[in-house]
Amino acid sequence: MSIRPDFLRLCMAIGVWLFTVGCASLYQPLPRRIEATRLSCETYPALVDGDLSTTSFLKVKGFVEKGNTAYKHSIQYGDWVEGTHNTQALIQLDTLTPVAYIEVHPISSIYRLSVATSTAETAHEKASRFEPLRSHKIARSENGEVIRIDIDRPVRMLKVAIHVNRDLAGATREPLTGKTKVSFDDIVIREIRVYQSQNFTK
């Protein structure tokens, strides 16, 4: 059985194309870490200082007030969140930059972390200017595991939000009202590193 010349040429063309694409992918420049001098975080400056030996304590401005649990008809047995149950950090780049991914180096265990980005510099946070990342699942970390979040878009500002656990060991009870006040755990992070894409095409 003979092979038709046109079929043989087609196979050779496909082979050359696959070889070319494979070689090109091997020689694509790797993302480069953005220098600390190009990053700033007004609330937690040590978060982006480039030094893993420094730490930042991300605090939660809120608490849970638990009503008298004997009153079973109240919503969630009388739990009210005063303030917020998460903490966040705003990281600004010195200029609009194609970001490949970020690395979060925590000390605390993190059970939920999310990231949103903005292409505009904002003096104050405006939720409408931030676009959340929906391409990754809920990011978690136990025992200080590094979290990597793919960004793959131009970024001027990053908003990293972390939902925190209740500090049940530090709960206090008011004897007159019978209510219990439960604060939230602080989150301790060594560093958030940002990596620039070298061949960004989006």
Side-chain angles (χ1 to χ4, degrees):
M1 181 178 178
S2 61
I3 300 177
R4 294 174 55 186
D6 54 346
F7 178 74
L8 184 60
R9 285 194 295 269
L10 176 62
C11 291
M12 291 179 64
I14 293 175
V16 170
W17 179 80
L18 290 175
F19 178 78
T20 303
V21 171
C23 290
S25 63
L26 289 176
Y27 289 99
Q28 285 181 355
L30 295 175
R32 184 180 71 239
R33 197 178 102 187
I34 296 175
E35 297 84 356
T37 54
R38 294 187 54 201
L39 305 172
S40 61
C41 181
E42 182 177 352
T43 309
Y44 307 104
L47 206 60
V48 291
D49 63 358
D51 188 353
L52 288 174
S53 66
T54 59
T55 56
S56 297
F57 288 79
L58 279 66
K59 297 185 177 296
V60 180
K61 298 179 180 179
F63 61 89
V64 175
E65 188 176 71
K66 298 176 68 65
N68 189 342
T69 56
Y71 188 64
K72 303 295 186 181
H73 299 290
S74 61
I75 299 175
Q76 293 185 350
Y77 300 103
D79 281 17
W80 291 274
V81 177
E82 296 287 342
T84 180
H85 64 287
N86 60 41
T87 183
Q88 65 183 30
L90 294 177
I91 299 172
Q92 182 168 308
L93 285 76
D94 61 346
T95 186
L96 184 64
T97 304
V99 173
Y101 61 89
I102 66 170
E103 287 180 349
V104 181
H105 296 254
I107 293 178
S108 304
S109 292
I110 295 175
Y111 82 98
R112 183 179 177 186
L113 181 146
S114 60
V115 178
T117 67
S118 174
T119 57
E121 178 183 357
T122 54
H124 301 284
E125 178 192 355
K126 295 180 180 179
S128 60
R129 294 197 176 193
F130 283 89
E131 181 182 350
L133 291 176
R134 306 186 186 280
S135 59
H136 65 84
K137 298 179 181 179
I138 295 174
R140 305 176 188 271
S141 173
E142 294 184 1
N143 303 318
E145 293 176 342
V146 176
I147 300 174
R148 171 173 162 165
I149 302 292
D150 292 329
I151 306 295
D152 294 326
R153 64 172 66 160
V155 174
R156 185 70 162 89
M157 295 192 72
L158 286 159
K159 180 167 66 174
V160 180
I162 302 171
H163 293 261
V164 297
N165 293 315
R166 301 181 184 187
D167 181 15
L168 299 178
T172 58
R173 186 175 183 275
E174 299 178 8
L176 295 178
T177 62
K179 294 181 179 180
T180 300
K181 181 178 179 181
V182 184
S183 59
F184 292 99
D185 291 325
D186 292 337
I187 297 295
V188 186
I189 296 178
R190 290 190 179 96
E191 191 79 11
I192 294 181
R193 292 181 168 177
V194 185
Y195 289 81
Q196 179 177 348
S197 176
Q198 299 300 297
N199 57 341
F200 191 80
T201 57
K202 293 184 180 182

